[in-house]
Amino acid sequence: MNATAAGHGVLAASRTRISSHRSLASSRNQTRSFVATVGCCGSGEGSGHHDELGHVKMEPLNLARRNNGIVKGIGLCGSLQKRMPVCSASSAGAAVWTVGDDAFDCAAGVAEEKVGVLLLNLGGPETLHDVQPFLFNLFADPDIIRLPRLFRFLQRPLAQLISVLRAPKSKEGYASIGGGSPLRKITDEQANALKMAMKARRVLANVYVGMRYWYPFTEEAVEQIKKDRITRLVVLPLYPQYSISTSGSSIRLLQNIFRKDSYLSRLPVSIIRSWYQREGYIKSMASLIEEELRKFSVPEQVMIFFSAHGVPVSYVEDAGDPYKDQMEECISLIMQELKVRGINNEHTLAYQSRVGPVQWLKPYTDEVLVELGQRGVKSLLAVPISFVSEHIETLEEIDMEYKHLALESGIENWGRVPALGCTSSFISDLADAVIEALPSATAISSEKSKSTEADYDPFRYVVKLLFGSVLAFFLLLFPRLVSTLKNYL
């Protein structure tokens, strides 16, 4: 979904990096390149689709549509060269934009464009002491535990109870991988690699990391974006496929923050909701799989086992979560790429990490592993398809629990594809995605924040909080009820 380039009027609404004291001739050789997004010359052809909130959904990167490196963007005067146009101020004060060999004029003064990229991720406890508060933040999210509207006031008390009960088992898992999650370190490395990849394309940008449930929180990243006076922002969730519980939750929080702030509500933003179908991502995944297959003695006999993070069935059937469809399409694209490379292995998909007695997307990873062993499958390559960074669900759940189960079930040869991390082709494609999204940035409306503030009743909130706390204390007094609740953990 590409956002429309809202009619910002003349060039004063668009900002670019220029050198006003240089002539046009010298600027073509000396002025640094940058992304130019102007609203004075009409609209061009976008690279995807758009909606009313400025969300961008990137389409597959089709080389046939790239026009030899030319990317077309909404709100641009003609084509936007991938290596970025050059702008210089003429003696008359107007800006002359140069794209390739074509030049065109835009009216009036130009200020510096400050580009920002916000990477959104889950976050994870960095020490064992962090585990319980991290779990509280996780379960306090209404997109994780979806309570009926009548019982929403129980969200935080219930999250507190679940986090306390679940913490001991979770601590064991984190202890087995070194005492904490490596997610923050890896995400910081990805942010730096993305910044360098964009710089190599002559696009200078500040790259921020905003975690949903642990430090650095999204709110901290947004505050820094304000301090840096960013003038154009691309939001990139580090989840290839969109789900209500991952990208959706992070984007919803971000929109709430932006709508309540006068500066942020006017900031042009492009949100890339999903990018699983991009050619660079698909080829990067195929390359990792191909590399790991070579490590088996008989590569063609290896079952490729895609394991994705699960979501409750109700998310898909009742809330319209596109996650399942996107996951299946993603795997289909990867297998198509592998076939082009002469790899025709069997493959299957299963879902891991289910919690509680509700029905989750099937088939379940643990059950499929047992079935494959019973069928006589001897060689298996696990592919963590919904993760681009190593964390507890790859390092502990897949590498330890599922590997042990697979070997116990009769599978003799086990392999696992690493998460993409900072793989150069992957980071390069993310940089392309960000640059393609920049021209489509548009402000997020602040209209909805007014109704939210009007509905807020402090007295009602306090009553709900007290009632929820009493209920939580009541549950803790009755072991039988607590035992029942444990079935959900």
Side-chain angles (χ1 to χ4, degrees):
M1 286 181 289
N2 263 338
T4 56
H8 296 309
V10 292
L11 189 60
S14 173
R15 302 183 173 202
T16 58
R17 190 183 306 277
I18 67 170
S19 177
S20 60
H21 61 282
R22 295 178 179 172
S23 68
L24 175 61
S26 64
S27 72
R28 287 186 174 180
N29 297 320
Q30 300 176 27
T31 305
R32 286 147 66 182
S33 298
F34 49 85
V35 174
T37 48
V38 298
C40 60
C41 301
S43 297
E45 178 188 34
S47 59
H49 305 288
H50 58 82
D51 68 9
E52 69 279 3
L53 289 178
H55 303 160
V56 174
K57 180 177 180 181
M58 305 308 299
E59 291 185 352
L61 191 58
N62 189 327
L63 296 181
R65 297 172 56 198
R66 293 292 294 276
N67 297 327
N68 297 321
I70 302 299
V71 180
K72 294 181 179 180
I74 293 177
L76 293 175
C77 307
S79 299
L80 172 64
Q81 190 172 4
K82 183 179 175 182
R83 289 179 301 196
M84 301 301 109
V86 176
C87 180
S88 174
S90 69
S91 58
V96 181
W97 296 82
T98 305
V99 182
D101 296 327
D102 300 322
F104 48 85
D105 296 330
C106 294
V110 184
E112 182 181 10
E113 178 85 84
K114 296 192 70 174
V115 175
V117 182
L118 174 59
L119 301 182
L120 300 177
N121 213 334
L122 183 81
E126 297 178 62
T127 69
L128 296 182
H129 180 72
D130 299 334
V131 172
Q132 189 272 322
F134 164 77
L135 291 176
F136 170 77
N137 293 336
L138 178 70
F139 293 117
D141 181 0
D143 286 322
I144 298 297
I145 296 183
R146 297 172 62 85
L147 296 177
R149 183 175 299 275
L150 183 63
F151 298 102
R152 293 275 173 85
F153 67 93
L154 292 175
Q155 190 84 44
R156 293 178 68 83
L158 187 60
Q160 181 66 28
L161 182 59
I162 294 175
S163 65
V164 169
L165 296 175
R166 191 173 173 82
K169 182 178 179 181
S170 293
K171 284 182 179 179
E172 292 178 7
Y174 283 106
S176 70
I177 62 171
S181 172
L183 193 59
R184 178 175 183 174
K185 177 178 180 294
I186 295 171
T187 307
D188 285 343
E189 291 171 350
Q190 290 171 326
N192 185 62
L194 178 60
K195 182 175 182 177
M196 293 300 101
M198 294 185 66
K199 184 177 181 181
R201 289 158 171 75
R202 296 193 290 174
V203 181
L204 300 182
N206 291 353
V207 183
Y208 307 88
V209 172
M211 299 295 191
R212 184 66 178 89
Y213 306 116
W214 204 244
Y215 300 100
F217 289 111
T218 303
E219 293 87 344
E220 298 175 64
V222 169
E223 192 60 33
Q224 190 60 50
I225 288 170
K226 285 183 63 177
K227 289 181 180 178
D228 292 341
R229 307 303 293 178
I230 294 300
T231 61
R232 188 167 298 269
L233 180 70
V234 174
V235 178
L236 178 63
L238 288 178
Y239 310 101
Q241 306 83 15
Y242 178 90
S243 174
I244 292 170
S245 59
T246 53
S247 303
S249 177
S250 293
I251 291 171
R252 178 184 58 81
L253 172 64
L254 196 66
Q255 289 173 331
N256 288 339
I257 296 172
F258 274 50
R259 286 174 179 139
K260 295 175 183 177
D261 186 282
S262 59
Y263 170 75
L264 295 171
S265 65
R266 299 191 303 271
L267 176 65
V269 180
S270 290
I271 303 177
I272 303 176
R273 291 169 64 89
S274 64
W275 39 270
Y276 67 92
Q277 74 284 58
R278 289 187 61 85
E279 185 179 52
Y281 166 71
I282 295 299
K283 287 189 173 183
S284 296
M285 287 299 300
S287 294
L288 290 180
I289 293 171
E290 184 178 20
E291 182 179 346
E292 293 300 318
L293 283 174
R294 294 197 194 103
K295 298 179 181 179
F296 289 83
S297 57
V298 188
E300 61 271 15
Q301 294 182 5
V302 178
M303 169 74 76
I304 300 175
F305 185 85
F306 293 97
S307 186
H309 191 287
V311 300
V313 172
S314 61
Y315 284 31
V316 175
E317 294 183 352
D318 300 333
D321 197 329
Y323 178 73
K324 181 176 182 292
D325 289 340
Q326 291 189 5
M327 183 60 67
E328 292 173 356
E329 182 185 358
C330 176
I331 291 172
S332 176
L333 291 171
I334 292 173
M335 293 308 300
Q336 288 175 30
E337 175 62 28
L338 288 173
K339 287 181 180 179
V340 170
R341 304 182 185 196
I343 298 172
N344 296 288
N345 295 55
E346 288 187 69
H347 74 281
T348 190
L349 164 66
Y351 295 91
Q352 66 181 86
S353 310
R354 67 185 187 275
V355 179
V358 299
Q359 186 177 3
W360 287 58
L361 291 180
K362 291 185 177 182
Y364 299 143
T365 293
D366 52 355
E367 293 180 357
V368 174
L369 288 174
V370 174
E371 292 172 4
L372 292 177
Q374 293 173 347
R375 279 175 43 191
V377 173
K378 297 301 181 183
S379 299
L380 186 144
L381 177 61
V383 183
I385 188 60
S386 50
F387 313 109
V388 298
S389 305
E390 303 290 358
H391 63 304
I392 192 167
E393 291 180 25
T394 60
L395 300 175
E396 194 272 336
E397 193 168 3
I398 294 179
D399 288 353
M400 298 180 187
E401 293 182 29
Y402 291 149
K403 179 180 179 180
H404 176 75
L405 178 61
L407 298 177
E408 194 177 56
S409 300
I411 294 170
E412 299 174 357
N413 306 304
W414 169 275
R416 203 263 282 181
V417 171
L420 284 164
C422 290
T423 303
S424 59
S425 59
F426 166 59
I427 296 297
S428 177
D429 189 58
L430 288 186
D432 286 340
V434 170
I435 292 171
E436 291 163 23
L438 272 169
S440 308
T442 188
I444 294 177
S445 171
S446 61
E447 293 178 0
K448 293 187 178 181
S449 63
K450 296 179 181 178
S451 61
T452 302
E453 293 170 2
D455 292 339
Y456 176 70
D457 183 343
F459 177 75
R460 187 178 177 187
Y461 174 78
V462 171
V463 171
K464 286 182 176 181
L465 185 61
L466 289 174
F467 182 77
S469 300
V470 170
L471 180 60
F473 181 72
F474 176 78
L475 289 174
L476 286 173
L477 290 177
F478 290 86
R480 185 173 179 179
L481 290 177
V482 172
S483 176
T484 301
L485 184 62
K486 283 184 177 180
N487 291 329
Y488 291 84
L489 306 178

